[in-house]
Amino acid sequence: MNHHPTRPDLRRAARVYAGFVLVSTAIILLVFAEPTLGRLAGGPWQRRGYIYGYTASLDLHAVIGFVLLGSVLTQMGSGLLAVLRGQRGSDGLHRRLGPVLAKGLLPGFVMVTAVAIVDRAMNLPVEKAVLFEPFRTPVVVLLLLLLGLVTYFTRAAWVRVKRGDVGGHLDAVLMMFLVLTGIAQFRLNYVISDLIWGYVPVTVPGMYAFSAVMVVGAGILAAGLAGRLRAMKRDFAVVALVNALGVLAVAPVVNFVKTDAQISHSFEVIERTKAEREAAEAR
């Protein structure tokens, strides 16, 4: 193992990125732990009392997702620790797990998630597919774009570390994790909105656009604190451009703020959900 000292700016970046990874992990667990643990206990898929339609693709997505989360945290933890210790090279675990993630788990997760998105959009009623509005195709397109960004940053992390760009590797890994967290943040924003207003005033595409801005904002904040803003300009440009193109592509066929009719429908779904939950509990 090579023990040449790492540049000070990378140790600073490692400390900052570690903090953002911990916060992101907390968001992911806050959003996905309840429905997943409930499902593992033999119950239906549900979040905050809302019962979702079942598909085998969702089970597979959840299993691979949590395996991926544990593996990514192990990989990132070992890599960040090596940087903080001033090591130019990474330890054996980091080197062995990297190819497994880049060539196996992450591509597998992207494929399984893409199948789950399309499967649930096509084969379940809208309100049972976690797509609460009649924008199936635009929402599927936007979610698939997120998976495309995950793929892009996974490849970027691999290419950069192969050419010895440790700082760029850390940047790409952070952005990959923030984009993954954006999927959880998207759902958390629904919960926050519901707690504030009692309903969600924006459509799914509207919430997607807001969540995308939050992901870019989190990345810029992390880069600023880490002294990596100039180095990450291209990464931010990629995320902003892809999301902007996605939003512009669906804009002609969707609205981003709910109409009165859509708000009324939201309350109908809430009441129907309560009745379904009460019926399930009475069985």
Side-chain angles (χ1 to χ4, degrees):
M1 185 183 298
N2 195 336
H3 290 276
H4 294 298
T6 305
R7 291 178 301 171
D9 63 308
L10 292 189
R11 288 196 289 269
R12 174 183 170 188
R15 287 192 294 269
V16 171
Y17 291 178
F20 275 79
V21 167
L22 289 175
V23 172
S24 297
T25 302
I27 292 173
I28 292 171
L29 293 177
L30 179 65
V31 171
F32 293 119
E34 177 197 352
T36 303
L37 292 175
R39 176 63 182 154
L40 287 173
W45 279 107
Q46 60 178 316
R47 181 183 292 114
R48 300 180 67 237
Y50 184 84
I51 300 174
Y52 299 115
Y54 167 79
T55 58
S57 61
L58 183 59
D59 278 358
L60 187 59
H61 162 74
V63 169
I64 294 180
F66 272 91
V67 171
L68 175 66
L69 178 62
S71 301
V72 167
L73 290 176
T74 301
Q75 173 73 354
M76 293 177 71
S78 61
L80 291 172
L81 188 60
V83 174
L84 290 171
R85 286 174 173 171
Q87 300 169 0
R88 178 68 65 177
S90 55
D91 61 21
L93 175 62
H94 190 82
R95 289 196 301 270
R96 288 194 297 269
L97 191 54
V100 174
L101 280 169
K103 299 180 180 181
L105 272 176
L106 273 163
F109 175 76
V110 168
M111 291 177 61
V112 167
T113 303
V115 169
I117 290 169
V118 175
D119 177 30
R120 295 178 67 76
M122 293 178 61
N123 298 316
L124 288 177
V126 172
E127 58 268 21
K128 288 297 180 183
V130 201
L131 302 174
F132 296 96
E133 300 156 89
F135 299 134
R136 291 173 184 261
T137 301
V139 170
V140 168
V141 169
L142 291 174
L143 292 176
L144 292 179
L145 281 179
L146 278 182
L147 296 180
L149 284 172
V150 172
T151 302
Y152 170 82
F153 284 114
T154 300
R155 183 180 182 279
W158 180 262
V159 170
R160 292 173 190 180
V161 78
K162 285 297 183 181
R163 68 184 184 213
D165 182 6
V166 179
H169 174 70
L170 291 176
D171 297 339
V173 171
L174 175 73
M175 289 308 300
M176 179 272 292
F177 202 73
L178 289 179
V179 171
L180 282 175
T181 306
I183 301 171
Q185 184 65 57
F186 174 87
R187 287 164 170 77
L188 182 60
N189 288 340
Y190 269 87
V191 176
I192 294 172
S193 178
D194 187 50
L195 291 173
I196 294 174
W197 293 290
Y199 70 100
V200 181
V202 297
T203 62
V204 173
M207 188 63 82
Y208 174 95
F210 179 68
S211 301
V213 171
M214 291 184 70
V215 168
V216 175
I220 291 174
L221 178 60
L225 293 173
R228 300 282 302 171
L229 270 175
R230 294 186 64 181
M232 293 185 69
K233 285 191 298 184
R234 181 177 178 180
D235 293 337
F236 298 140
V238 169
V239 177
L241 179 62
V242 169
N243 282 304
L245 289 176
V247 169
L248 288 174
V250 304
V253 294
V254 304
N255 55 295
F256 294 97
V257 179
K258 285 183 177 177
T259 63
D260 290 341
Q262 288 171 326
I263 292 173
S264 297
H265 175 69
S266 295
F267 283 111
E268 290 173 6
V269 170
I270 292 171
E271 291 302 317
R272 189 160 60 246
T273 295
K274 290 180 180 177
E276 290 177 354
R277 185 172 68 248
E278 291 169 358
E281 292 172 350
R283 293 193 192 107

